[in-house]
Amino acid sequence: MASPKTRAVSLTEIETLALTVFRAQGCDEGNTTALARTVTAAERDGSVSHGLFRVPGYVASLRSGKVNGSAKPKINHDLASVISVDGDMGYAPLALETGLPVLADAALKNGIAVMRVVNNFHFAALWPETEYLAERGLMGLACTAFKPTVAPAGAKEAFFGTNPLSFAWPRPGQTPLVFDMATSTLAKGDVQIAARDGHDVPEGTGLGPDGQPTNDPAEILKGVLLPFGGYKGSAIAMMVELLCAGMTGDYFSFEAGVHDNNDGGPAKGGELVIAISPQLVAGEGWQKHCAGFFDAISGLDGIRLPGDRRHKNRLDTGPRHINAELINRIKDLC
Ligand code: NDP
């Protein structure tokens, strides 16, 4: 919706703005185009906390020298089902674009394959990687950590990152089923947007610096976020730490917190992406079996499937309504 605080910007203009700002910051062409594709896809789908909103943070980490804008990701594929991508201290989009085709091929051949991405900075949504796999007939699962932002259940001190987890399931001939969620009550970007726009956040989102629950996003940004669903979400956040740090060898969130320069961009960390072929594991008939499941759940009153909102947004080729101050800020960075 247009408002006095927003400006209507076409998807082409969004991509051009992203290309211009990353080139102006000295990124090479491979990194520039991968970053611009990521930002534009997020705005197209309505993942607003991970589109243009992230550009000032991307720029801050390029300027501080923490992130390499000319990174050349390198792949190691010595084991049939294990792909290792060294991101060369760059941003995730190019490392993922380099590794995903190799991961998909390995899973389509072997039934299952896993990709570890290290020396990498993830500042985006995770659905692009899981959706890529589902569009090729594979189940995709991806997760990454951050730096201490979330208090584990029972604690008042930040220890976990917001630790997003994305899962996609292929539905040939239809959009895949995809969920992509922070394991905190809200993604930090959404808390920052609420603080910027002067909105309260729901009860239970986080604690202020005094350790007390608050609905004020500015206070939560000085305090801690909470995991979704109490101790159950906390257990999933812990699993994400072990998958993307224990299983990759890159930082746990608490380690990233020690090494990060707090320039406003993402922290260095690992990402784990798992691909499994239902055709090779469940065998013939999996598609019909799962179509029955999706028909049954979709028939329940009040249901919408995760991913449906984004896929519907994707069909809208019209302009997106972007915060006007953000656009001016990015133009200044060009
Ligand atoms: P949301 O809570 O907005 O959504 C989580 C998931 O639930 C989405 O797949 C969404 O589908 C689905 N969903 C939402 N409402 C419903 C509903 N009523 N019925 C069924 N499904 C629903 O996401 P978060 O705020 O937790 O996370 C936002 C983004 O932040 C994610 O893309 C995540 O990857 C990213 N992130 C990235 C980090 C990083 O370090 N790179 C750190 C933390 C988060 P739909 O999209 O269709 O609405």
Side-chain angles (χ1 to χ4, degrees), residues 214-240:
T214 172
N215 295 341
D216 180 346
E219 287 299 294
I220 292 172
L221 291 171
K222 288 186 239 155
V224 293
L225 280 161
L226 292 173
F228 80 91
Y231 63 86
K232 296 188 183 183
S234 193
I236 294 179
M238 184 180 293
M239 178 192 76
V240 170

Side-chain angles (χ1 to χ4, degrees), residues 148-169:
T149 315
V150 175
K156 294 193 171 185
E157 204 177 309
F159 184 74
F160 296 144
T162 44
N163 295 6
L165 178 68
S166 178
F167 169 88
W169 187 267

Side-chain angles (χ1 to χ4, degrees), residues 2 13 34 36 69-70 94-95 113 123 126 132 135 140 144 146 174 201 218 229 241-242 272 294 323 333:
E13 287 167 327
S70 303
L94 188 61
F123 213 30
L126 271 67
Y132 176 94
E135 281 158 4
T144 188
F146 181 49
Q174 278 181 279
V201 292
E241 294 277 343
L242 289 164
L272 194 78
F294 287 119
N323 179 276
L333 295 171

Side-chain angles (χ1 to χ4, degrees), residues 111-135:
I112 182 164
V114 57
M115 177 166 78
R116 134 197 202 271
V117 185
V118 293
N119 296 326
N120 182 60
F121 294 80
H122 207 305
F123 213 30
L126 271 67
W127 56 260
E129 39 267 43
T130 56
E131 247 185 70
Y132 176 94
L133 296 168
E135 281 158 4

Side-chain angles (χ1 to χ4, degrees), residues 45-50 54 58 92 121-129 142 144-147 161-167 178-190 228 266-267 271 302-313:
D45 276 21
S47 290
V48 288
S49 55
H50 290 80
R54 285 294 186 212
Y58 279 117
F121 294 80
H122 207 305
F123 213 30
L126 271 67
W127 56 260
E129 39 267 43
T144 188
F146 181 49
K147 57 185 178 177
T162 44
N163 295 6
L165 178 68
S166 178
F167 169 88
V178 189
F179 74 72
D180 181 18
M181 53 176 225
T183 50
S184 48
T185 43
L186 284 186
K188 190 175 175 192
D190 287 318
F228 80 91
E271 177 172 6
I303 281 287
R304 78 133 164 113
L305 294 179
D308 281 358
R309 176 194 63 93
R310 278 191 310 98
H311 293 140
K312 203 166 150 215
N313 285 344

